Amino acid sequence: MSTHYAKPLARLVGEFEKLPGIGPKSAQRLAFHVLRIPEDEAHALAAAIVDVRTTIKYCRVCGNFTDQDTCFICTDPRRDQSLMCIVAEARDLIAMEKTNEFRGVYHVLQGVISPMEGVGPDRLRIAELQDRLSGGIVREVILATNPTVEGDTTAMYLARNIIKPLDPSIKITRIAHGMPAGGDLDYADQATLISALEWRRELT
Amino acid sequence: MQVVSLDLTNFRNYQTLHLDPGPGLNVFVGENAQGKSNLLESLYILATTKSTRASRDAELIRQGTGLCRLQAQVNRTTDLDVKMELAISLVEKKQARVNGVKHTRMSEVIGKVNAVLFDLGDLEIVRGEPSNRRRFLDLEISQTSPRYVHALAAYRKTLEQRNHLLRDIRDRRAGPHGGETVGVWDVQLATHGAALMDGRRAFIDRLGQLASETHKAISDCRDELVITYQPSFAIDAIGDVEEIKREFLTRIDQVHHEERARGTTLIGPQRDDVQMLVNGADSRLFGSQGQQRTIAVALKFAERQLIEELIGEPPLLLLDDVLSDLDDLRRGHLFEFIGKAGSQTFLSCVSVRSFPPDILERASVWRVSKGLVTRQPE
Ligand SMILES: Nc1ncnc2c1ncn2[C@@H]1O[C@H](COP(=O)(O)OP(=O)(O)OP(=O)(O)O)[C@@H](O)[C@H]1O
Ligand SMILES: [Mg+2]
Ligand SMILES: [Zn+2]
């Protein structure tokens, strides 16, 4: 296919194609878009990519993305340090933050246990988690990995093998999964309904 | 439910077909390779959106063309009548219309029309490897239990991950803490596995009983069929799903060392089987061809009955080549059964010579020749 394009253009199309969710058609559209926009905009885009790679790193404490040593959540004194939400990826943290509801702190595992992908506990940020929990400050841990087989397994492993043996007095909870709020029973897929039933609670 | 009209365009060896089937038994008679099985297949696809014979949808499109259409008007008693249309193309995604409303997610249209199909492949349920029987169970139970579908997907994923981990442990590639996670996978495996076993046990109990009754009648009360669930480890016949899960965890503990040495999961639904005894003998090993066919037919009639109980009206019954290997006595009883079942039935055969006259009298008989279907007598 690259023979249809001038070399530099083919190169850009090729790079776009490597991005997640981008097929050949979209890659071509994006590349042509880059050629159409004003030159300084294109430079700004390139600079942003370079900049993000040179300045962004993982927060020393929680594993979130940051351009400092410690991220803005970990340094925020208004955050409740006794409540910790464990997520698989930084993007899950961002999703949680958007709710403006959670006032505790996070711990990002940077993955879930998946033998098929060669990910065992040693590949996750579990040693860092043990360090944080042994301080005695955290009183409740919310396990917020996805409700997939791998997410469930990771949550169960953390609860049984890591958190409980370390400090049995820490309260461990798992996020509920089921019906989306404002959702229509009629339109929910069956797996969602089943899990909504499983996670039902008593009305008082 | 009743198919009142069927239209095919460029489907298999049919260029165009229009058919107005009769309400009861429809017999399609013709020589080999004329299109009898294709016609039954088209009805099955309209009900389930999938073929049991074709490995790829493209096989369904008439050679030399690029698009086939299947359409049926189906009148129902417990639900709205359905006009079901399917378009299968070489280039685009399969598309369905139900009463004119477009669907590309096939899961949304399955169940608008219900059909039970008997074809040659079903003999493998009786005489084939255990995997054939497990596939049959999964397919049938999935049709009526979303919970089972969910458990099946989760179990397969868990099993794959766990097997991978056990292999890594065997080959000493599991990493410093890899071994610790097996216990957690065990719990997942037991949770989803117990759900599957519970579903299979209940289904086989019910199906076995119905199949046994049908089987007795077709075999002229000569053969006694007993169908039993054979899980990879014994479970209490009445214990609940929690009990199965506990037993699962106990058993998996007992094979701890062996699993790590062999690098694979040794117990669970992936090793289940169904035993079919005729007069005390395993029909898989000792059954005659006619006996094996009788069992397969009985299973399908039992399935028909279960679906009727569930949806409140008889599903379509599609019987491809059901008569071969059966003696006249069994054929006679089978026809009685078809009559009693009350399903609109589509039956294919190469000759109607041995048919009981009263059955032929009441049936709609169609001759199939080179992709043309004509009503008999003309
Ligand atoms: N995609 C296709 N395009 C054209 N012809 C096809 C296609 N698929 C199958 N056929 C043809 O359809 C013919 C009839 O097949 P079918 O299985 O319906 O026969 P049948 O009448 O059931 O025969 P039998 O009595 O042997 O079971 C075969 O000759 C086959 O080559
Ligand atoms: Mg045939
Ligand atoms: Zn942080």
Side-chain angles (χ1 to χ4, degrees):
Chain A
M1 59 142 261
S2 49
T3 54
H4 300 300
Y5 304 115
K7 259 215 185 100
L9 183 54
R11 184 172 150 213
L12 183 60
V13 172
E15 290 301 327
F16 277 138
E17 256 194 76
K18 291 185 200 158
L19 300 178
I22 305 287
K25 271 197 186 147
S26 310
Q28 181 187 325
R29 209 173 53 234
L30 287 173
F32 284 174
H33 175 77
V34 170
L35 285 176
R36 253 196 325 271
I37 56 177
E39 198 171 332
D40 54 337
E41 261 183 52
H43 284 295
L45 173 63
I49 292 174
V50 173
D51 197 39
V52 80
R53 283 310 297 251
T54 48
T55 60
I56 296 291
K57 52 196 173 212
Y58 295 123
C59 169
R60 192 175 46 83
V61 180
C62 72
N64 185 17
F65 289 122
T66 176
D67 57 352
Q68 311 286 314
D69 187 43
T70 316
C71 77
F72 71 97
I73 296 171
C74 291
T75 49
D76 186 343
R78 291 163 305 176
R79 290 280 179 160
D80 180 354
Q81 299 285 337
S82 73
L83 179 62
M84 178 190 281
C85 177
I86 301 185
V87 293
E89 305 286 350
R91 61 166 184 272
D92 302 329
L93 179 157
I94 292 162
M96 205 66 106
E97 274 302 283
K98 281 185 183 158
T99 66
N100 282 325
E101 275 301 311
F102 183 67
R103 302 310 300 158
V105 292
Y106 293 94
H107 191 81
V108 184
L109 294 169
Q110 289 170 1
V112 285
I113 295 172
S114 174
M116 286 161 68
E117 281 151 286
V119 182
D122 46 302
R123 292 270 298 268
L124 306 176
R125 296 182 69 258
I126 289 179
E128 292 88 336
L129 176 68
Q130 285 170 315
D131 273 353
R132 291 180 78 186
L133 294 181
S134 53
I137 295 165
V138 178
R139 298 324 306 151
E140 178 176 353
V141 166
I142 304 170
L143 297 167
T145 51
N146 283 329
T148 57
V149 162
E150 292 78 13
D152 286 340
T153 300
T154 306
M156 201 185 286
Y157 174 74
L158 291 178
R160 294 180 158 207
N161 297 44
I162 304 296
I163 306 172
K164 271 208 198 101
L166 192 75
D167 182 351
S169 71
I170 295 177
K171 182 176 169 191
I172 306 171
T173 52
R174 178 95 172 96
I175 48 162
H177 25 81
M179 290 297 296
D184 195 328
L185 273 187
D186 213 19
Y187 284 101
D189 71 81
Q190 286 152 344
T192 305
L193 277 175
I194 290 165
S195 107
L197 273 175
E198 242 155 43
W199 291 74
R200 73 187 182 274
R201 58 181 172 163
E202 203 174 319
L203 276 179
T204 48
Chain B
M1 57 192 72
Q2 294 269 351
V3 179
V4 292
S5 73
L6 172 70
D7 285 279
L8 303 177
T9 313
N10 291 334
F11 175 79
R12 294 257 192 212
N13 69 330
Y14 292 97
Q15 187 172 16
T16 56
L17 169 75
H18 174 84
L19 188 76
D20 299 310
L25 174 62
N26 289 271
V27 178
F28 297 89
V29 57
E31 290 163 7
N32 295 141
Q34 300 304 308
K36 305 182 297 294
S37 297
N38 294 347
L39 197 145
L40 268 53
E41 181 186 34
S42 76
L43 288 165
Y44 187 76
I45 294 170
L46 280 162
T48 64
T49 77
K50 284 190 289 272
S51 162
T52 58
R53 300 197 295 169
S55 46
R56 294 174 311 119
D57 280 343
E59 292 169 31
L60 305 172
I61 304 168
R62 196 164 72 95
Q63 271 158 32
T65 66
L67 171 74
C68 78
R69 292 182 184 282
L70 299 80
Q71 183 182 322
Q73 175 66 38
V74 181
N75 290 354
R76 304 193 45 161
T77 56
T78 55
D79 208 335
L80 292 177
D81 294 347
V82 188
K83 183 177 170 197
M84 188 73 175
E85 296 169 82
L86 267 179
I88 301 166
S89 132
L90 285 176
V91 286
E92 274 171 76
K93 261 187 88 174
K94 182 154 56 178
Q95 199 184 81
R97 277 174 192 274
V98 180
N99 294 329
V101 180
K102 214 190 281 181
H103 296 268
T104 44
R105 284 238 305 252
M106 291 302 122
S107 59
E108 295 168 351
V109 300
I110 297 171
K112 303 284 179 198
V113 177
N114 306 85
V116 173
L117 167 71
F118 173 92
D119 67 12
L120 206 60
D122 291 322
L123 288 174
E124 294 306 313
I125 300 169
V126 181
R127 64 179 187 203
E129 295 300 311
S131 60
N132 289 287
R133 289 179 281 286
R134 290 194 293 269
R135 196 176 317 123
F136 168 71
L137 291 178
D138 290 343
L139 211 70
E140 298 314 324
I141 307 171
S142 294
Q143 285 195 20
T144 57
S145 168
R147 171 176 287 276
Y148 191 87
V149 177
H150 178 66
L152 191 61
Y155 186 82
R156 283 183 178 152
K157 197 69 205 278
T158 305
L159 184 66
E160 207 180 356
Q161 291 279 22
R162 190 173 184 275
N163 281 341
H164 213 101
L165 179 59
L166 289 172
R167 232 173 6 251
D168 284 349
I169 291 172
R170 182 194 63 192
D171 304 339
R172 306 191 188 288
R173 282 187 285 122
H177 299 283
E180 292 169 16
T181 60
V182 185
V184 183
W185 288 112
D186 290 355
V187 176
Q188 298 270 34
L189 195 76
T191 305
H192 303 305
L196 293 185
M197 293 172 71
D198 189 42
R200 287 178 179 183
R201 180 182 58 182
F203 177 75
I204 294 168
D205 271 359
R206 184 83 189 96
L207 185 91
Q209 212 177 341
L210 288 170
S212 191
E213 288 163 20
T214 313
H215 188 269
K216 194 166 182 177
I218 297 176
S219 66
D220 204 40
C221 297
R222 276 182 287 195
D223 286 347
E224 177 84 28
L225 171 68
V226 179
I227 297 181
T228 42
Y229 180 36
Q230 302 226 288
S232 63
F233 56 87
I235 54 171
D236 198 322
I238 44 166
D240 65 3
V241 67
E242 284 305 317
E243 260 173 68
I244 301 176
K245 181 176 163 182
R246 274 196 297 278
E247 185 63 24
F248 204 128
L249 286 169
T250 309
R251 295 295 184 128
I252 206 128
D253 208 38
Q254 290 166 357
V255 290
H256 181 100
H257 294 294
E258 205 187 339
E259 284 196 327
R260 280 155 186 77
R262 302 207 2 212
T264 191
T265 301
L266 293 175
I267 63 165
Q270 77 281 7
R271 299 196 165 209
D272 281 357
D273 200 356
V274 182
Q275 190 183 51
M276 304 180 189
L277 297 178
V278 172
N279 303 329
D282 191 336
S283 58
R284 191 184 157 205
L285 306 172
F286 304 109
S288 75
Q289 288 184 41
Q291 278 178 323
Q292 290 181 340
R293 186 174 290 259
T294 309
I295 297 171
V297 171
L299 286 175
K300 290 292 157 161
F301 273 88
E303 185 190 336
R304 196 212 66 83
Q305 177 76 31
L306 286 177
I307 293 178
E308 176 169 346
E309 283 169 15
L310 198 81
I311 64 173
E313 64 179 305
L316 309 176
L317 188 54
L318 313 173
L319 303 173
D320 194 16
D321 235 342
V322 74
L323 301 173
S324 14
D325 295 331
L326 296 186
D327 57 35
D328 285 347
L329 196 63
R330 287 184 191 227
R331 285 184 183 192
H333 287 307
L334 182 60
F335 280 120
E336 266 171 45
F337 236 85
I338 293 172
K340 265 195 285 183
S343 277
Q344 186 187 28
T345 301
F346 298 79
L347 179 143
S348 77
C349 57
V350 285
S351 151
V352 291
R353 246 172 295 151
S354 65
F355 276 46
D358 59 316
I359 299 288
L360 265 186
E361 187 73 15
R362 273 177 280 132
S364 312
V365 181
W366 309 85
R367 174 153 293 278
V368 182
S369 176
K370 295 193 182 116
L372 295 175
V373 181
T374 42
R375 182 75 195 257
Q376 300 287 306
E378 282 172 70

